[in-house]
Amino acid sequence: MHIEPLLKLGNLPIQDFLSQYWQQKHLYSPQSLSDYLPDLDIDDLAGLALEQEVESRLIRSEENRWELDHGPFTEEQLTHLPNSNWTLLIQAADIWIPEISQFLDLFRFLPNWRLDDIMISYAADGGGVGPHFDFYDVFLIQAKGCRTWHLGPECNDQTPRVQDSPLNQIAPFEPEHTFETKPGDVLYIPAGKAHWGIANGDDCMTLSVGFRAPSDREILSNFADFIADDLPSSNRYRDSSPKVADNPGKINDSVIETLRHKIQDLIDSPTALASWFGREMTEGKYSEIQPEEFFELPNIEEQELNEFLVQNPLEVFSASRLAYRECEDATTLFIDGEEYKTTALVAETLCKKRYFEPGELQILIESEQPNDSKELLLSLVNRGILLVAQNELNE
């Protein structure tokens, strides 16, 4: 089934949330998602924490000291935990748990490229990761139990940190707001806002929906690398107006001006920027995770595609990311760091949602360029990017 993006957060229309709160200030919205909570327990998470492919962390605290261990863990490690002051974190749970993948669809009122993943935190009484801040926006959804959240000041690179802390913890920390979240409650925290969540009692489970926000450093460095990959070595600096040097050690202003114009000419390409950005923002953090590791992929021929589309509900592989960009002369579809020239209809349809009813994608092979559309769809099906739908979230 297809889970529609949220239209409201509590009684607040999403557009009002975006204009008044998003990346500006926090918002506590009690019982906003109580009808959508997935049914998970510690056994589900513990099983994932044993797997090599899953990014998991275990954080234990005692008297304001935190100890961090990275998974995979053993059953013995997880069954001999103390009664309090620990939390188990499972990153990218939307990849591994179908119910969580569908839960993520609620937040597709923001562009696909913005969504990062859902982390699940399961904590015993007193468990948490200490006072810290993130460089990205986050929705914290209480799924089970209760958690007390303390919100502090705005932070940045100059904010004092706990020395040698692997958790980006800050000190000192002075709470400015406090909330106790119960199942179904949502707390939105913009990037840079200090926060500290502490589990109240056992069986405390929190979902953290994180968002991609490349830093200026990453944008400049990664785009420069993308441009440089296609530059021939024969293109070199050339003197614009050579003159006899009055001092051979002097770098003249004309040299700097020549370099400035050269850099501007190299990077001033909207086409190249769009290509890099689409590839970069759809490249998965866990690109090594491939559909064939989990599913038996079909090997259908072109003449079988129509029947396959008619008979099967399909969904996008949970680790795959799709986005597109329209230009006057072409539409580019980005999938997992690769780009494809296609029609607007194909790109819009495949990116709008992640679940498709039987026959819903038929229109794409009956479009203006059916051969191109059929070739792309056939490739996506046989590679497992479009899968026969596995599980569905109960209403």
Side-chain angles (χ1 to χ4, degrees):
M1 64 182 292
H2 174 48
I3 305 299
E4 295 289 343
L6 290 172
L7 298 177
K8 290 184 175 182
L9 198 56
N11 295 320
L12 183 68
I14 288 299
Q15 185 54 56
D16 291 348
F17 165 77
L18 292 175
S19 61
Q20 299 172 25
Y21 292 90
W22 176 251
Q23 298 190 316
Q24 300 171 59
K25 56 185 178 180
H26 70 272
L27 174 67
Y28 173 55
S29 183
Q31 295 300 290
S32 294
L33 295 181
S34 56
D35 293 337
Y36 296 96
L37 296 179
D39 184 18
L40 302 172
D41 59 35
I42 182 58
D43 291 335
D44 298 317
L45 303 184
L48 287 174
L50 304 178
E51 300 296 332
Q52 180 70 41
E53 299 86 356
V54 178
E55 183 182 354
S56 58
R57 291 171 288 168
L58 182 63
I59 299 169
R60 285 167 282 199
S61 60
E62 184 177 355
E63 296 181 354
N64 289 327
R65 294 194 305 274
W66 278 264
E67 178 182 335
L68 169 66
D69 292 309
H70 292 272
F73 301 100
T74 66
E75 290 188 25
E76 183 177 1
Q77 286 176 297
L78 298 182
T79 55
H80 287 80
L81 290 170
N83 294 327
S84 62
N85 298 323
W86 60 265
T87 184
L88 177 66
L89 306 178
I90 302 295
Q91 204 72 42
D94 48 290
I95 293 178
W96 309 106
I97 306 174
E99 293 86 350
I100 299 299
S101 179
Q102 294 173 48
F103 186 85
L104 189 60
D105 290 342
L106 293 170
F107 298 88
R108 295 189 189 279
F109 53 82
L110 289 162
N112 284 344
W113 67 264
R114 260 301 203 168
L115 294 173
D116 194 358
D117 67 358
I118 294 184
M119 182 187 75
I120 299 183
S121 166
Y122 185 94
D125 185 42
V129 300
H132 67 287
F133 72 96
D134 302 309
F135 288 107
Y136 52 84
D137 302 83
V138 63
F139 286 96
L140 301 165
I141 302 100
Q142 196 64 26
K144 286 188 175 183
C146 299
R147 190 183 291 266
T148 298
W149 287 100
H150 300 296
L151 271 58
E154 302 291 332
C155 300
N156 54 37
D157 287 326
Q158 282 70 53
T159 300
R161 318 283 181 86
V162 175
Q163 188 174 6
D164 299 325
S165 169
L167 299 169
N168 206 33
Q169 292 173 333
I170 61 175
F173 176 78
E174 294 293 335
E176 297 176 352
H177 308 276
T178 297
F179 304 96
E180 182 169 326
T181 54
K182 299 178 176 60
D185 291 358
V186 178
L187 179 60
Y188 164 71
I189 302 178
K193 184 74 171 175
H195 53 284
W196 183 3
I198 305 170
N200 292 335
D202 295 325
D203 204 32
C204 174
M205 185 183 296
T206 306
L207 310 182
S208 301
V209 183
F211 294 84
R212 288 191 164 192
S215 67
D216 290 350
R217 178 185 300 174
E218 291 169 327
I219 292 172
L220 183 61
S221 174
N222 295 352
F223 180 52
D225 288 342
F226 179 80
I227 291 291
D229 284 343
D230 290 332
L231 295 178
S233 299
S234 57
N235 286 10
R236 299 278 172 152
Y237 170 84
R238 294 178 62 87
D239 293 312
S240 57
S241 53
K243 297 178 180 178
V244 175
D246 54 355
N247 186 322
K250 181 181 180 181
I251 299 175
N252 292 320
D253 291 343
S254 61
V255 173
I256 302 303
E257 192 67 10
T258 298
L259 290 172
R260 188 172 70 85
H261 284 298
K262 176 180 281 290
I263 291 173
Q264 286 178 335
D265 291 342
L266 289 172
I267 66 174
D268 189 16
S269 170
T271 300
L273 183 60
S275 179
W276 164 76
F277 189 75
R279 289 169 179 251
E280 184 87 357
M281 290 297 103
T282 59
E283 182 71 50
K285 289 196 305 183
Y286 306 94
S287 56
E288 70 279 4
I289 300 173
Q290 297 297 316
E292 56 266 25
E293 297 179 31
F294 309 97
F295 308 103
E296 184 177 346
L297 302 185
N299 185 21
I300 63 175
E301 303 292 338
E302 183 176 335
Q303 63 270 19
E304 301 172 310
L305 180 61
N306 188 70
E307 182 179 0
F308 180 85
L309 296 179
V310 169
Q311 292 183 347
N312 296 291
L314 299 175
E315 64 183 358
V316 177
F317 178 51
S318 58
S320 288
R321 300 175 180 276
L322 281 70
Y324 74 96
R325 185 172 187 268
E326 284 186 287
C327 296
E328 291 182 2
D329 56 343
T331 298
T332 304
L333 175 64
F334 300 97
I335 304 176
D336 297 339
E338 299 179 1
E339 63 179 270
Y340 307 84
K341 299 301 180 184
T342 186
T343 65
L345 177 62
V346 170
E348 290 172 7
T349 302
L350 291 177
C351 291
K352 192 171 184 62
K353 57 185 183 179
R354 297 180 66 88
Y355 179 92
F356 304 94
E357 298 287 351
E360 192 174 351
L361 294 180
Q362 258 189 304
I363 189 175
L364 301 184
I365 60 175
E366 298 168 355
S367 61
E368 300 170 11
Q369 301 177 24
N371 291 333
D372 292 344
S373 302
K374 182 176 289 188
E375 183 179 342
L376 176 59
L377 279 174
L378 186 65
S379 172
L380 298 182
V381 167
N382 284 332
R383 290 161 57 193
I385 293 174
L386 278 176
L387 291 161
V388 175
Q390 304 297 310
N391 293 299
E392 299 182 0
L393 183 64
N394 294 327
E395 289 187 299

